[in-house]
Amino acid sequence: MDFKNKNLGFFMTRGVSFSKWQSLGSFEREIKPYVELAKYFEKIFIFSYGTRDSVLFSNYFPKNVLIIDRPVYINSFLYSFLMPLIQNKFFQKLNLIKTNQMDGSWPAVLGKIFYKV
């Protein structure tokens, strides 16, 4: 299957951000797959629970990887359920969905239902 004209959405575990990965010492290991996958997809949207990850970490990725931050005004738990509505302009662009943990799967499942991803 050719993914060059497809967009991937990756959903981080609820409450997890690139800042958290960095503080745990796992940042470089965790981002490696997405740097590699960027060669095969038109765009990759990474849905983070950080509120400033797009500013702090975008330069670690190729230009076709976009970090989508959690709005400051909403907590992680509630955001995990509202993400498909709040970030609908990004969800509408997704062709494939990826999660790493069950605790990051709710927005992906809702995205599948609402947007037929």
Side-chain angles (χ1 to χ4, degrees), residues 12-45:
M12 297 179 83
T13 303
R14 183 178 51 84
V16 174
S17 64
F18 291 112
S19 298
K20 181 158 187 147
W21 279 351
Q22 193 173 50
S23 72
L24 294 172
S26 61
F27 175 76
E28 289 183 24
R29 176 180 55 87
E30 294 284 359
I31 70 164
K32 217 176 255 191
Y34 306 101
V35 171
E36 183 65 24
L37 284 170
K39 298 174 187 174
Y40 303 99
F41 285 90
E42 184 173 333
K43 287 191 180 173
I44 297 178
F45 298 92

Side-chain angles (χ1 to χ4, degrees), residues 14 49 73-84 86:
R14 183 178 51 84
Y49 287 86
Y73 59 84
I74 189 167
N75 71 47
S76 293
F77 180 77
L78 187 56
Y79 180 60
S80 70
F81 291 99
L82 296 178
M83 186 190 297
I86 293 171

Side-chain angles (χ1 to χ4, degrees), residues 2-3 35 54 89 92 96-97 101 115:
D2 181 24
F3 296 115
V35 171
S54 63
K89 71 180 179 180
Q92 291 175 22
L96 298 163
I97 292 175
Q101 305 288 331
Y115 301 102

Side-chain angles (χ1 to χ4, degrees), residues 53-65:
D53 281 358
S54 63
V55 174
L56 299 172
F57 297 99
S58 288
N59 59 331
Y60 290 93
F61 293 96
K63 297 286 183 217
N64 65 328
V65 176

